[in-house]
Amino acid sequence: MSVMRLGIALPQYGPLATMDAVAGFATAAEELGYASLWVGDRVLAPVSPSDFYPGGTPERPYPPEFVTFADPLILLTVAASVTKKVRLGTSTLTGTVYPAVVLARMLTSLDQVSGGRLDVGLGIGWLRDEYTATGTPWTGRGRQLEELLDVLREFWTGDPVEHEGERWRIPASKVGLRPVQSPHPPVLLGGLSAAALDRVGRRADGWLPAGLPAPYLAKLWETVASAAEKAGRDPGALRRVLRINPKPGTGLRDVAEQLDAAAETGITEAFVDPHYLARDVTHALDLAAELRGLVPSD
């Protein structure tokens, strides 16, 4: 079996959304040898949603666990305060629904709090209701994400910080708060569309794919690599961090086999989300310990 830098999702939603258990889970995961801890992002669980979650139906438009969903950056801050080595990542923040300069400040502060362990995973989401609720235009989501990337890099490296864009304007400002990681935390982008993959190749430090069949992931990666080369970038320098969301009833050996198949395509980083397998946080930790024993560490 191939070696994989393996991470685990923090307890964040559904029955696992037990806030006083996050610190203990993070500490235990680090002691088990996990390389990273991850969170997702969900703002709303509408009664009559504008869109279905991928694979959803009118009877079950999204996983019912989404009804209870804790703030991702708060959870990473808790984890940062009780761990020393694990990377801390978002997969993914719906970055476009946040005020850009406020998000930049939060992410920079989190990189400081964690001592430079933050991986910033961003996407544009899939639920129009979240855009409505946050006063965010639904149209032009890709352009908004591109502009958000501009704002983040300006906030992290500009002196003074200044931005004039389609959605956001930042007057020339002094910003003394800087990330620990230089020149900034790695920015990883999600998405499977041609436009999203092109954006990864052109602008990101890596890609956050979902748990799809390994041959399909390899084919999608060709689009990323081609875009990177056209932009004068080295595709080999880009990270790939695979997210696996095992369905209820999935065996951990099956998860380990999926990780191994992904590794054969060149993926060296992944994390597993136990929310659909675990009854509670204690059970999630038991599963994490069992999985850690099935996957060789680097």
Side-chain angles (χ1 to χ4, degrees):
M1 181 173 287
S2 302
V3 172
M4 177 76 72
R5 285 182 56 81
L6 185 62
I8 192 85
L10 287 171
Q12 183 183 15
Y13 58 94
L16 274 61
T18 307
M19 298 303 95
D20 59 1
V22 173
F25 185 97
T27 302
E30 184 171 60
E31 292 174 350
L32 286 169
Y34 279 92
S36 54
L37 301 172
W38 294 84
V39 291
D41 195 10
R42 187 86 288 117
V43 177
L44 293 174
V47 174
S48 300
S50 56
D51 308 273
F52 294 163
Y53 186 74
T57 65
E59 296 74 29
R60 193 179 187 272
Y62 47 76
E65 290 85 353
F66 285 2
V67 172
T68 305
F69 214 107
D71 183 85
L73 298 185
I74 294 294
L75 264 59
L76 287 186
T77 302
V78 172
S81 70
V82 296
T83 56
K84 297 179 179 179
K85 296 181 179 180
V86 289
R87 300 290 300 177
L88 305 167
T90 60
S91 179
T92 58
L93 279 182
T94 308
T96 43
V97 303
Y98 295 89
V101 72
V102 175
L103 180 61
R105 183 184 63 178
M106 290 191 294
L107 294 172
T108 307
S109 299
L110 183 49
D111 197 57
Q112 285 275 357
V113 169
S114 68
R117 292 183 281 142
L118 179 63
D119 286 326
V120 179
L122 299 171
I124 59 174
W126 53 271
L127 183 60
R128 279 174 290 180
D129 287 325
E130 292 186 333
Y131 279 69
T132 299
T134 57
T136 305
W138 175 252
T139 57
R141 300 182 303 286
R143 293 196 310 274
Q144 292 178 59
L145 181 57
E146 296 266 5
E147 187 178 348
L148 175 61
L149 297 178
D150 294 337
V151 171
L152 290 176
R153 284 182 169 83
E154 177 68 11
F155 192 91
W156 288 329
T157 63
D159 185 17
V161 172
E162 187 173 11
H163 175 79
E164 188 76 44
E166 181 180 350
R167 182 173 170 198
W168 292 293
R169 177 181 178 274
I170 304 173
S173 303
K174 297 179 180 179
V175 175
L177 185 70
R178 298 292 183 175
V180 173
Q181 298 177 88
S182 181
H184 53 71
V187 175
L188 315 173
L189 298 180
L192 301 173
S193 70
L197 297 171
D198 179 77
R199 186 180 300 115
V200 173
R202 288 186 293 105
R203 304 207 56 182
D205 298 304
W207 181 38
L208 294 168
L212 298 168
Y216 184 53
L217 290 174
K219 190 67 176 177
L220 294 176
W221 180 248
E222 292 177 4
T223 302
V224 175
S226 176
E229 290 171 351
K230 290 178 181 177
R233 309 179 74 207
D234 176 13
L238 302 182
R239 294 165 57 190
R240 282 177 277 177
V241 185
L242 175 66
R243 179 185 186 122
I244 295 181
N245 302 316
K247 296 179 180 179
T250 302
L252 292 183
R253 291 192 179 276
D254 292 333
V255 175
E257 290 176 3
Q258 188 175 358
L259 290 167
D260 193 46
E264 293 299 321
T265 70
I267 292 177
T268 58
E269 299 180 67
F271 75 97
V272 176
D273 183 340
H275 283 82
Y276 305 120
L277 299 181
R279 297 183 299 272
D280 51 35
V281 175
T282 299
H283 187 208
L285 269 178
D286 290 341
L287 294 173
E290 183 180 348
L291 179 64
R292 183 67 277 184
L294 295 172
V295 181
S297 58
D298 60 357

